[in-house]
Amino acid sequence: MHTTQRILFLAAALAGLSACATALEPGTEKIKVVTTQQIEHSCVSLGMISTEQKLGTNRPANAMNKAMNEIARRGGNGVHVIANNYDWAEGATVTVQALRCEL
């Protein structure tokens, strides 16, 4: 493979990885991290959300962005992180509770 071909191949591979990025959608800017005490006193659960990101350069952030987007779609304004896992080979997973709170 010639140098030019290698450069083009690497550029295409990097472009493919960056295409996996998950952007935050409108409404996510209103979502706040909520403590257990806040949940008990001023929040209503909108359900659990579990997301994963197997590819890309920033898998943990992309998994969290997917969860935040789903919270916004459900009309939530709070998030309580239940679990997050990252494995280089397997990717990242996030489990959160979506909440609507009086903050």
Side-chain angles (χ1 to χ4, degrees), residues 9-24 53-59 61-63 65-66:
F9 176 76
L10 287 173
L14 288 174
L17 286 176
S18 65
C20 296
T22 301
L24 290 172
Q53 181 70 39
K54 296 205 178 263
L55 301 173
T57 54
N58 196 349
R59 292 175 270 185
N62 286 324
N65 286 355
K66 288 179 181 181

Side-chain angles (χ1 to χ4, degrees), residues 20-32:
C20 296
T22 301
L24 290 172
E25 297 173 1
T28 57
E29 70 280 354
K30 299 174 187 171
I31 299 171
K32 306 286 185 223

